[in-house]
Amino acid sequence: MAGTDSTQGALTGGPAIILVRPQLGENIGMAARAMLNCGLTELRLVAPRDGWPNEKALSAASGADAVVENARLYDTTAAAIADLAHVYATTARPRGMYKPVFSPREAVAAMVPGIAGGEATGVLFGAERSGLDNADVTLAQAIIEVPLNPAYRSLNLSQAVLLLGYEWFQARPDLAAPAGPLEAEPPAPQADLQGLYAHLEEELDRAGFFHPPEKRPGMVRNLRNMFARAGLTAQEVRTLRGVVVALTRGRRGAGGRGGED
Amino acid sequence: MAGTDSTQGALTGGPAIILVRPQLGENIGMAARAMLNCGLTELRLVAPRDGWPNEKALSAASGADAVVENARLYDTTAAAIADLAHVYATTARPRGMYKPVFSPREAVAAMVPGIAGGEATGVLFGAERSGLDNADVTLAQAIIEVPLNPAYRSLNLSQAVLLLGYEWFQARPDLAAPAGPLEAEPPAPQADLQGLYAHLEEELDRAGFFHPPEKRPGMVRNLRNMFARAGLTAQEVRTLRGVVVALTRGRRGAGGRGGED
């Protein structure tokens, strides 16, 4: 999936992503990539197993190096969240704790107003195998659980970060409206379409296509419906007229016997 | 992110995931995992670079082996989509094609009623580095573009599959609800459309429509795009083939001088 517009500056803002006791450097790097995909840049690490800095994290981050290089290191989860106003904990299994449980979409909806108001927010992600300790989850105000196939729920760390980040990016308050449902070109004026219909139907009349005659109105309607539905551009209408000319060209060349059969 | 409840059966249904010329077996396996996370089980492969079956795909699939083992193999994208009613193409960059462009969320919303109505649907994903060819994108009715940080948009294959699957899983409870404003008639199978394309293009070749020759591929793409977008029914495809026959009839009758112009 290539496609990066490096003329645009990095986006900032959004929740801090806090990886608690992550094990593999590769996963830290891939989490950093997922973050940057979604415009998130603030990475915090609590006691990464293999120490810090970590070469494997850097090489796996390809292109998101700055996220890894700017990561902040903490000894404990409590220290990592000390400055935050809102903390969410991601978990894959029920914890039997009396806390709100949000989907990523709901969690992002809940955090957007606070972040827009300048309130520092963070999301905790646990270690690859074991997830977060109950003690870590206890520090959070709310739990985020990703709705997934209950028979196969296991996500890797960077994918969990990606799904949260993706929801963040969809909800970002400053997100420009997406370009409409269609790419740039406007549809052809109706007059162009009418010209196409008239041209095609005239040639089909000549070719005896509309038979028996009492079916002509319904057949014409069906044809026009197909072209109307396609939302043709002016250029496309010209192309289709060229197609009609090309397909009938031989007939004319063969003696202009319009109306045969 | 551990946590799998293996007492619940695998979920089925949803769009087929079609990987076009995937390169690394690991990525195929990881895509299979992402699919199963989201209750998707139908994997199709078009000409995987390293052959098939692929040991690395199986070992990377850990737990999603059945998805990999049941993958169906095709030589061409056209063959892989021949039985599908709806085809979407994921792309990371604008293609300058006049087709609807959906986010994953919008695409899923668009495909849910059809799938609920039993219409086979598939989503094309391109190779790791290059993405889909324009020729592949042309076969699709609509484009799916994931809204991501424009300054860092590059996603790996399994992540792209995950985001589409995630949106599918969020929307799938709706499947129980009665299908909304479904059109009366189902869309034509892709094989019918390909038959129409081949027929029309053969006649246009005879008529010398595609000139200069180096412009032929682009002209063919534009024509196919128009018809793909129209969401033609099987009856409409038959009608259009009748139109082509009718328009060219005189030419044949005048001595079968195919190729004149």
Side-chain angles (χ1 to χ4, degrees):
Chain A
M1 305 288 293
T4 285
D5 176 0
S6 55
T7 61
Q8 308 212 21
L11 298 158
T12 54
I17 299 299
I18 307 163
L19 307 184
V20 180
R21 290 178 289 280
Q23 302 181 316
L24 297 172
E26 289 86 340
N27 288 337
I28 300 172
M30 285 169 60
R33 292 187 58 176
M35 288 173 61
L36 193 56
N37 282 147
C38 305
L40 297 175
T41 53
E42 189 178 348
L43 176 61
R44 301 181 179 199
L45 303 171
V46 177
R49 186 190 65 184
D50 297 338
W52 198 256
N54 180 319
E55 270 310 311
K56 288 179 178 168
L58 255 183
S59 65
S62 62
D65 319 44
V67 174
V68 170
E69 284 161 2
N70 294 329
R72 284 192 275 169
L73 189 65
Y74 300 87
D75 288 334
T76 64
T77 305
I81 64 172
D83 62 319
L84 301 181
H86 302 283
V87 179
Y88 296 78
T90 55
T91 118
R93 57 179 196 277
R95 299 301 183 121
M97 291 189 202
Y98 186 66
K99 274 188 208 290
V101 177
F102 293 130
S103 70
R105 194 167 302 171
E106 292 163 342
V108 161
M111 68 180 71
V112 159
I115 292 174
E119 296 167 7
T121 298
V123 182
L124 301 171
F125 292 83
E128 286 89 337
R129 287 190 178 281
S130 49
L132 291 169
D133 285 350
N134 279 342
D136 296 325
V137 176
T138 301
L139 297 174
Q141 293 154 269
I143 287 174
I144 301 176
E145 225 183 274
V146 184
L148 287 174
N149 181 356
Y152 191 72
R153 214 192 271 276
S154 136
L155 273 187
N156 77 33
L157 182 56
S158 69
Q159 286 174 318
V161 170
L162 178 68
L163 290 180
L164 189 279
Y166 169 78
E167 289 289 5
W168 163 255
F169 196 85
Q170 308 318 299
R172 276 163 16 119
D174 56 328
L175 185 59
L182 279 181
E183 284 182 7
E185 262 188 290
Q190 288 299 315
D192 290 15
L193 282 173
Q194 303 292 333
L196 169 65
Y197 300 157
H199 180 184
L200 175 63
E201 289 152 19
E202 184 193 325
E203 290 296 351
L204 288 172
D205 274 329
R206 270 185 221 276
F209 178 77
F210 297 116
H211 59 91
E214 62 272 25
K215 287 207 171 166
R216 188 181 189 283
M219 294 170 81
V220 162
R221 203 160 50 232
N222 291 342
L223 280 172
R224 292 184 180 190
N225 269 336
M226 290 182 235
F227 291 111
R229 239 168 35 220
L232 301 169
T233 66
Q235 176 55 50
E236 288 176 332
V237 170
R238 284 192 295 275
T239 299
L240 284 175
R241 295 193 66 160
V243 165
V244 175
V245 168
L247 292 179
T248 54
R249 188 183 291 151
R251 191 163 74 203
R252 297 294 168 71
R257 294 187 302 146
E260 79 258 351
D261 72 311
Chain B
M1 303 290 292
T4 285
D5 176 1
S6 55
T7 61
Q8 309 212 22
L11 299 158
T12 54
I17 298 298
I18 306 162
L19 307 184
V20 180
R21 290 179 289 281
Q23 302 181 315
L24 297 172
E26 289 86 339
N27 287 336
I28 299 172
M30 285 169 61
R33 293 187 58 175
M35 288 173 62
L36 193 56
N37 282 147
C38 304
L40 298 175
T41 54
E42 189 178 347
L43 176 61
R44 301 181 179 199
L45 302 171
V46 177
R49 186 190 64 183
D50 297 339
W52 197 256
N54 180 318
E55 271 310 309
K56 288 179 178 167
L58 256 183
S59 65
S62 64
D65 318 44
V67 174
V68 170
E69 283 161 4
N70 294 329
R72 284 192 275 170
L73 189 64
Y74 301 87
D75 288 333
T76 64
T77 304
I81 65 173
D83 62 319
L84 301 180
H86 301 283
V87 179
Y88 295 77
T90 54
T91 113
R93 56 179 197 276
R95 300 302 184 118
M97 288 192 201
Y98 186 67
K99 272 190 208 290
V101 178
F102 293 127
S103 70
R105 193 167 302 172
E106 292 163 341
V108 163
M111 67 179 70
V112 160
I115 291 175
E119 295 170 6
T121 298
V123 182
L124 301 171
F125 293 83
E128 286 89 337
R129 287 193 177 280
S130 48
L132 292 169
D133 285 352
N134 278 342
D136 296 324
V137 176
T138 298
L139 297 173
Q141 292 153 271
I143 287 174
I144 301 177
E145 227 184 274
V146 184
L148 287 174
N149 180 356
Y152 190 73
R153 214 189 271 274
S154 137
L155 273 188
N156 77 33
L157 183 54
S158 68
Q159 287 174 319
V161 170
L162 177 68
L163 290 180
L164 190 279
Y166 168 79
E167 289 289 5
W168 163 256
F169 196 84
Q170 309 317 299
R172 63 180 290 292
D174 306 349
L175 287 183
L182 259 188
E183 284 178 24
E185 260 189 287
Q190 294 293 319
D192 290 15
L193 282 174
Q194 288 171 24
L196 169 65
Y197 300 158
H199 181 184
L200 175 62
E201 288 153 20
E202 185 193 326
E203 290 295 351
L204 289 172
D205 274 327
R206 272 184 219 276
F209 176 75
F210 297 117
H211 60 91
E214 63 271 22
K215 287 209 170 165
R216 188 181 189 282
M219 294 171 82
V220 163
R221 201 156 57 227
N222 291 340
L223 280 171
R224 293 183 178 190
N225 272 334
M226 289 181 233
F227 291 112
R229 235 164 44 214
L232 301 170
T233 67
Q235 176 54 52
E236 288 176 331
V237 170
R238 284 192 294 274
T239 299
L240 285 175
R241 294 193 67 159
V243 164
V244 176
V245 168
L247 293 179
T248 54
R249 188 183 291 152
R251 191 162 73 200
R252 297 293 168 73
R257 295 186 303 144
E260 78 256 0
D261 61 326

